[in-house]
Amino acid sequence: MMTAHRKSNGDIATSFVRRHIGPSAGDVTAMLEAVSAKSVDALMAETLPASIRQAAPLDLGKPLSETEAIAHMAELARQNQVFTSLIGQGYSGTILPAVIQRNILENPAWYTAYTPYQPEISQGRLEALLNFQTMICDLTGLDVANASLLDEATAAAEAMALAERHSQVKAKAFFVDRDVHPQTLAVMRTRAEPLGWNLIVGDPLTDLAKSDVLGALLQYPGSSGAVRNLRPAIAALKAKGALAIVAADLLALTLLASPGELGADIAIGSAQRFGVPMGYGGPHAAYMAVRDALKRSLPGRIVGLSVDSRGAPAYRLALQTREQHIRREKATSNICTAQVLLAVIASMYAVYHGPEGLMQIARNVHRRAAVLASGLRKLGFAPLSDSFFDTLSVDAGAKRVEIVARAAAEKINLGIGDSGLRIALDETTTPATVEAVWRAFGGTLAYAEIDAETREALPDELKRTTAFLTHPVFHAHRSETEMLRYMRKLSDRDLALDRAMIPLGSCTMKLNATTEMMPLTWPEFATLHPFAPREQAAGYHALFARLEKWLCDITGYDAISLQPNSGAQGEYAGLLAIRGYHASRGQSQRKICLIPSSAHGTNPASAAMVGMDVVVVACEKNGDVDVNDLRAKAERHSDDLAAVMITYPSTHGVFEEHISEICDIVHGHGGQVYLDGANLNAQVGLSRPGDYGADVSHLNLHKTFCIPHGGGGPGMGPIGVRAHLAPFLPGHPAAKADAPVGPVSAAPFGSASILTISYIYILMMGGEGLKRATEIAILNANYIAARLDPHFPVLYKNAKGRVAHECIVDPRPLKTTSGVTVDDIAKRLIDYGFHAPTMSFPVPGTLMIEPTESESKAELDRFCDAMIAIRKEIAEVEAGRFEIAASPLRHAPHTVHDIADDDWKRAYTRSEGCFPDGVSRTDKYWCPVGRVDNVYGDRNLVCSCPPVSDYAQAAE
Ligand SMILES: *Cc1c(COP(=O)(O)O)cnc(C)c1O
């Protein structure tokens, strides 16, 4: 490791703050002038209500330079111990091919991309996700898969909820295989309890027939390793009209009959072992696949095929109308941020290995497990099941402690179950590992000898006979050169932060610094199993403790849970805490949740998931919450009021004056205040939710705290709470088993490995730097508002004419004068080389823009110039140069098909279309497809790789 030269942190040359914040000192002066503010302090005073301003500065210690931060992380890494974890329980050692690690996981073209809502600039990652879905459909033998869910345990809970909606059995009872992973069961209990569903745990082969249940979750192979024939259990369930869900291991499925062939309706599981490091819990992609009849109920995002303006095939997110923003409290799931980057990695692992490669890996792993079993039998420890894939359970009796200790001396972790020991092998297992396990069990055996006398242990009746991954994409990239170029080709199709500003409101697409991204792939952070003994993860725990302390200081809360894997999961955990608190005071009837009409769609969806009844509070014309309406509704529901969920600064991008009053009203009626802190970027260092009256918030670390968006995930949504809610933070069977509220994630610290990113960010910024970042984020937003307002009016400002960290511009009047839609503007921005702002949220027909502090004045000006040039194009329509339907706005985005069109008959020139004002001919970003047809894609749902012939036909 490099040694830090420990010099002044304030030094401009080594200061990270100067690298993170876009505008220079000169830029700041110019922008202050443009917004008519005397100073940054004066601007803040005009933006935030004085009553909520934070008194004391953040106390986060001195900032480190990038070099010093890396040295510090190396010290933390040394406190983690890299053991060989054979614990299993849904997490396996895996080998991430180096070409994928460097070109996806460590490549900003992939990790800084946004969720692919704008399909034209997202074709690369959409193709990778379609490969993921194809892989999942093939391996599970089911018809439609999503991409993706947060982890296996929450996927199981989502599947249970899906089954509840579709089952013909009306009983509110659900059966869970006693051989599921314990954390899966725990998360399902958390989800079932508020909804009044009863979980029955038992042996599916003997207990299922007697149970009147709406559905069942069966694990395949079981958590113990046993491979059981689930066909009879599934048939019995289906005969009653109940749904069968199978949690399946993807690697095992390369050799075993698929869940679909066994009769399952739904399959779920984790794609972690397809190349994604364990990372002490995550992030990893979970999957869900369903029979065709259930596809319109599938939670999470689904990539589908559609056509573009020239009729060529184009990918897009399908069925977007199911998202929470539309369905709100009627949404059946709150999943928003998912695990896109990890699904991409898993799909590339399959592209890299192909079906033969995956089967070879599976056969090797199985071979090692079979040899291990033979040896253990010789040593008097016969595995409990004769049929297994890669995991063995043995009853070690009184020798258990001794064996675990001897294994630990060999730097091996075994799985410790209720009644015995578990040994789960994986693709990293070598003969030497197997011999070391034998030694732990008290015998010295030679792998080669035992190998010669061992037969495989997969039951004939369950062997896979069907082909999978037959699509050419899984066959054409076996050389590293082909693989490298395939990944490069896909990323070249996309527009991510490595090319241009992504001015999305509510999503904070700021810098994800390279230094912040480095440690998470170091083995000391990447290879730890989430259930490894705590003392092996001392570095991680030191990091968690410090990060929790910092986040408490930043938010004014008393305690933090690092468990939730996304903002929406944080909302869910926060509402569970509120629910637990009311119940502990004998107030379980408090079930009303007040939510302003402008709230993010996940808010009402999360409230519904904890069994709360949503009552919508009106907003005033200026966008503020209607305090009178809120007061009236709080009064009306005084006895039953559970909470208000309020976003601050508001989703309209303004610091409302009445926030403290709102908190007081709700508290006065016995309710709790949930403050949606996804957008803390306007507050860090300036104001603290815990100070001005909120009881609980989630913080999206993938927004404010620099975890990259990954093309739609991963994320982390820790929650902060005031002391009275701290006992009701999520527990976990592996950490706090006796907590009154159960876990919301499979792993106790969620996606632990990416917490390193936020940690390093805070470490390098320090308190002053973070405050400066917030100020510049607000200055940048006000600068954009000032520049655009004469062209596209800014919809909401506070009484002093200021916006917070984002602003909404309103092109709706132009629809009347020209016919231009918000879509036209968004797509035309692509021609100028920009990702569109957030469209139609929270106000339909408008654009929400959030520049963040990381964008320089030059980039802000480039964006504003593009918007102003677009306004001129709209003026041309207004002036009658051409109809909107014939304008470059409606034909946007323009592609190479346009510039090369020999039959050009448009009312504007090709260069007006392709190279509008200010666009460089040298550095032009070309999106690969024209405007994508949304309706077509939903009518003709195709969610796995189409045959290559489809492309050939379309190209003709
Ligand atoms: C992003 C966001 C959320 C949801 O966060 P996810 O991580 O996508 O689940 C919730 N509320 C607001 C205001 C947000 O901007």
Side-chain angles (χ1 to χ4, degrees), residues 667-951:
H667 286 145
H669 292 281
Q672 293 282 294
V673 176
Y674 188 103
L675 191 132
D676 183 328
N679 301 317
L680 210 69
N681 214 43
Q683 295 195 70
V684 178
L686 298 182
S687 68
R688 312 197 305 169
D691 290 348
Y692 54 71
D695 300 292
V696 43
S697 297
H698 70 271
L699 322 173
N700 278 16
L701 300 188
H702 48 300
K703 294 179 180 170
T704 307
F705 295 94
C706 295
I707 293 175
H709 248 73
M716 276 296 277
I719 57 173
V721 294
R722 305 230 339 255
H724 63 282
L725 293 179
F728 307 99
L729 290 173
H732 195 282
K736 277 198 297 171
D738 52 352
V741 177
V744 299
S745 301
F749 298 93
S751 299
S753 64
I754 53 174
L755 291 174
T756 54
I757 300 168
S758 301
Y759 179 87
I760 301 167
Y761 172 59
I762 299 173
L763 193 66
M764 298 194 302
M765 293 293 280
E768 270 303 302
L770 287 178
K771 175 167 176 251
R772 184 72 181 166
T774 308
E775 291 167 345
I776 300 300
I778 291 173
L779 173 61
N780 277 359
N782 278 283
Y783 178 70
I784 285 193
R787 276 209 65 192
L788 291 186
D789 194 48
H791 310 278
F792 297 95
V794 172
L795 198 49
Y796 302 113
K797 298 173 186 169
N798 72 5
K800 301 197 176 86
R802 299 303 183 192
V803 300
H805 63 308
E806 57 193 5
C807 64
I808 297 177
V809 298
D810 187 6
R812 287 174 302 182
L814 304 177
K815 190 160 183 191
T816 326
T817 56
S818 70
V820 74
T821 66
V822 70
D823 245 39
D824 295 333
I825 298 172
K827 302 307 178 192
R828 187 60 172 151
L829 271 171
I830 297 173
D831 288 333
Y832 287 84
F834 285 101
H835 191 290
T838 299
M839 275 164 47
S840 292
F841 172 78
V843 184
T846 64
L847 293 165
M848 180 155 62
I849 303 163
E850 176 182 0
T852 85
E853 70 279 8
S854 296
E855 297 300 341
S856 66
K857 178 170 179 293
E859 184 70 354
L860 301 184
D861 283 333
R862 194 170 76 89
F863 173 72
C864 291
D865 291 345
M867 288 293 286
I868 293 165
I870 288 175
R871 180 63 188 88
K872 285 204 193 104
E873 294 176 348
I874 298 170
E876 289 189 311
V877 180
E878 290 171 323
R881 181 178 163 204
F882 29 54
E883 292 287 304
I884 185 73
S887 72
L889 292 152
R890 185 59 49 84
H891 284 289
H894 292 80
T895 67
V896 283
H897 298 292
D898 295 316
I899 195 113
D901 190 343
D902 288 333
D903 195 23
W904 184 263
K905 295 204 180 77
R906 305 249 176 102
Y908 55 92
T909 67
R910 280 182 297 191
S911 92
E912 282 177 299
C914 298
F915 301 107
D917 240 21
V919 172
S920 156
R921 296 199 172 208
T922 320
D923 301 319
K924 161 89 181 168
Y925 163 73
W926 291 103
C927 68
V929 296
R931 198 178 298 194
V932 175
D933 186 331
N934 288 323
V935 179
Y936 180 92
D938 279 351
R939 280 214 201 103
N940 310 279
L941 203 57
V942 176
C943 303
S944 53
C945 295
V948 178
S949 56
D950 280 18
Y951 292 93

Side-chain angles (χ1 to χ4, degrees), residues 305-314 930-934 936-937:
L305 205 65
S306 188
V307 292
D308 79 353
S309 49
R310 287 176 180 264
R931 198 178 298 194
V932 175
D933 186 331
N934 288 323
Y936 180 92

Side-chain angles (χ1 to χ4, degrees), residues 336-337 506 566-568 571 600 602 647 676 678-679 698 700 702-703:
C336 180
T337 287
S506 208
S566 71
E571 292 169 15
H600 195 271
T602 52
T647 304
D676 183 328
N679 301 317
H698 70 271
N700 278 16
H702 48 300
K703 294 179 180 170

Side-chain angles (χ1 to χ4, degrees), residues 331-351:
T332 46
S333 153
N334 66 348
I335 182 144
C336 180
T337 287
Q339 300 282 19
V340 168
L341 189 69
L342 302 310
V344 168
I345 290 173
S347 81
M348 290 300 177
Y349 180 90
V351 167

Side-chain angles (χ1 to χ4, degrees), residues 572-585:
Y572 176 63
L575 292 172
L576 285 172
I578 290 175
R579 190 175 169 274
Y581 170 75
H582 288 315
S584 75
R585 294 157 40 103

